[in-house]
Amino acid sequence: KPGEQKHSKEPSSLQCMHLAVVACGDRLEETLIMLKSAVLFSNRRLCFHIFAEDSLKPEFEKKLKEWPSSYTKKFEYNIYPITFSVGNAQEWKKLFKPCAAQRLFLPVILKDVDSLLYVDTDVLFLRPIDDIWHILKEFNSTQLAAMAPEHEIPKIGWYSRFARHPYYGTTGVNSGVMLMNLTRIRNTQFKNSMIPSGLTWEEMLYPLYQKYKNYITWGDQDLLNIIFYFNPECLYVFPCQWNYRPDHCMYGSNCKGAEEEGVSILHGNRGVYHDDKQPTFKALYEVIRDFPFEDNLFQSLYYPLQSKFLDTVHTLCGRIPQVFLKQIEKTMKKVYENRVIVYLGANHRY
């Protein structure tokens, strides 16, 4: 049944691409739109791991059951309570945004899951998850997680200007999209600034927080930056088009990968889906939110998006609509090609 635990020894879960998200407070709609974007375009089966406050669980179950069967058959899901295995639960829950620190405990909680993509609630997929899932195969023998840089240009990056704690590389990394090999994370001894010997992931989390809690601004993201500062060989850095944020266009375009290939994953942090500061981001969110599942993707998603973008050309992000449209157009063409092939194959015998 939907919502029951699915163990990875089951054939369906072995074939799953595992996606985790943490939703607290008013993040129900954002999370559902994120999941919708994942289901619309992905090819392989999806396993959703939704961590939510108890009050949100029935809402998630109700909304997901309303989706048409042609889409619900593409995924299974489980909803988990918010839990922290070490330290003070209330401290963790209040760190940065409500419940955000839950992502730090995924390797401990999801013991049967080998690999996982974690995303924030304010993420939208503009191409199949299959494509970022393939990056797991690009990990070398020491890499166990992948994230994108926090910024491309150190002189305007937050960490390079303001951080009072160690951080990865020259600009730090952003944890809103994080690909993880959980098996490797569970089996690794991490170098750290507390004791000469290594610590497991679970052993390290609370002491690390206690040591740096007066110096961190962005909560769990800062802790991840500290971890990978001391263990840089463990991190694979993927390009900015896999975690494209307003910072990549609001100061002028500074994500070359998105200019060349288009945005692959949109990350609408700073609340831009819900105000008028970055109308290009808001337009994408609203079009995916309002898209009727069974409708024609070009007529009911792509063309309305083009129309909305015309009203954003006066903004810095709106001046480069091709960056936002390139990948989603390519993805929709593939969806239709696949459907045509399936349709022709099914009718070939007649």
Side-chain angles (χ1 to χ4, degrees):
K1 295 178 182 178
E4 287 189 352
Q5 179 68 51
K6 304 288 185 180
H7 296 289
S8 60
K9 62 186 178 182
E10 293 178 8
S12 62
S13 282
L14 285 171
Q15 300 303 315
C16 263
M17 296 179 294
H18 294 269
L19 177 67
V21 65
V22 179
C24 287
D26 60 356
R27 298 303 179 106
L28 175 72
E29 183 191 75
E30 263 191 7
T31 307
L32 288 165
I33 306 310
M34 180 276 292
L35 297 175
K36 183 178 182 180
S37 72
V39 172
L40 280 177
F41 301 128
S42 291
N43 300 313
R44 278 176 55 192
R45 187 169 179 78
L46 294 161
C47 287
F48 296 147
H49 302 274
I50 303 166
F51 291 80
E53 291 173 308
D54 293 341
S55 60
L56 292 180
K57 182 176 179 179
E59 290 295 314
F60 273 112
E61 291 179 335
K62 177 188 173 189
K63 294 292 185 182
L64 290 172
K65 285 174 182 174
E66 291 173 357
W67 290 7
S69 60
S70 57
Y71 286 92
T72 56
K73 69 182 182 183
K74 293 176 66 175
F75 67 90
E76 57 192 52
Y77 72 90
N78 191 39
I79 302 175
Y80 306 80
I82 303 296
T83 55
F84 304 98
S85 61
V86 294
N88 184 308
Q90 287 306 310
E91 269 190 294
W92 284 122
K93 194 168 183 179
K94 294 175 183 175
L95 183 64
F96 188 46
K97 292 182 180 177
C99 308
Q102 181 72 80
R103 88 185 81 187
L104 298 172
F105 294 86
L106 297 180
V108 181
I109 298 168
L110 301 175
K111 295 183 186 297
D112 291 332
V113 177
D114 176 65
S115 296
L116 178 84
L117 177 64
Y118 165 86
V119 295
D120 285 348
T121 60
D122 52 8
V123 155
L124 292 172
F125 294 95
L126 305 187
R127 66 190 289 183
I129 290 182
D130 310 60
D131 297 336
I132 192 171
W133 195 256
H134 289 319
I135 291 176
L136 286 164
K137 295 180 180 178
E138 298 178 19
F139 284 12
N140 65 26
S141 60
T142 63
Q143 290 166 338
L144 47 76
M147 288 186 278
E150 172 66 19
H151 222 287
E152 310 312 301
I153 305 170
K155 68 180 181 181
I156 58 174
W158 193 93
Y159 282 106
S160 48
R161 291 186 295 159
F162 304 118
R164 296 185 295 154
H165 58 77
Y167 57 90
Y168 179 87
T170 57
T171 61
V173 284
N174 184 280
S175 61
V177 179
M178 186 176 179
L179 191 62
M180 293 180 270
N181 184 316
L182 299 184
T183 302
R184 287 187 179 183
I185 290 174
R186 287 187 286 264
N187 294 336
T188 297
Q189 294 283 319
F190 291 88
K191 298 187 290 292
N192 60 88
S193 60
M194 295 166 289
I195 62 172
S197 60
L199 290 170
T200 67
W201 185 266
E202 189 175 18
E203 289 170 341
M204 176 175 55
L205 289 179
Y206 195 61
L208 196 71
Y209 166 67
Q210 287 295 315
K211 179 170 182 176
Y212 291 103
K213 66 180 180 181
N214 294 325
Y215 303 98
I216 59 178
T217 301
W218 307 112
D220 51 300
Q221 177 173 291
D222 290 346
L223 292 178
L224 289 166
N225 267 280
I226 295 165
I227 290 169
F228 290 112
Y229 169 84
F230 290 106
N231 301 271
E233 73 283 357
C234 293
L235 190 66
Y236 178 107
V237 179
F238 50 65
C240 48
Q241 64 264 32
W242 291 105
N243 187 350
Y244 191 89
R245 305 180 303 283
D247 305 64
H248 288 119
C249 52
M250 61 190 285
Y251 306 115
S253 182
N254 58 55
C255 176
K256 298 301 180 188
E259 291 175 16
E260 293 167 4
E261 297 182 18
V263 175
S264 296
I265 295 179
L266 193 75
H267 185 182
N269 63 342
R270 301 175 178 266
V272 293
Y273 296 148
H274 311 294
D275 60 31
D276 296 317
K277 292 178 181 176
Q278 298 299 335
T280 313
F281 282 75
K282 187 178 182 182
L284 259 161
Y285 178 81
E286 290 179 345
V287 165
I288 293 175
R289 179 195 67 193
D290 298 339
F291 172 70
F293 273 104
E294 306 283 18
D295 273 22
N296 180 290
L297 279 167
F298 277 102
Q299 288 180 351
S300 300
L301 196 151
Y302 188 71
Y303 296 139
L305 193 55
Q306 283 186 313
S307 178
K308 277 179 174 281
F309 276 7
L310 290 175
D311 297 327
T312 74
V313 292
H314 63 286
T315 68
L316 280 169
C317 293
R319 288 191 307 167
I320 47 173
Q322 71 281 0
V323 166
F324 297 90
L325 291 170
K326 187 179 292 187
Q327 197 57 240
I328 199 167
E329 181 181 10
K330 184 179 176 182
T331 298
M332 284 191 288
K333 283 180 178 177
K334 280 187 179 178
V335 169
Y336 272 106
E337 285 170 6
N338 291 339
R339 286 181 183 173
V340 168
I341 290 168
V342 169
Y343 178 79
L344 290 176
N347 290 279
H348 185 68
R349 62 183 181 273
Y350 296 112

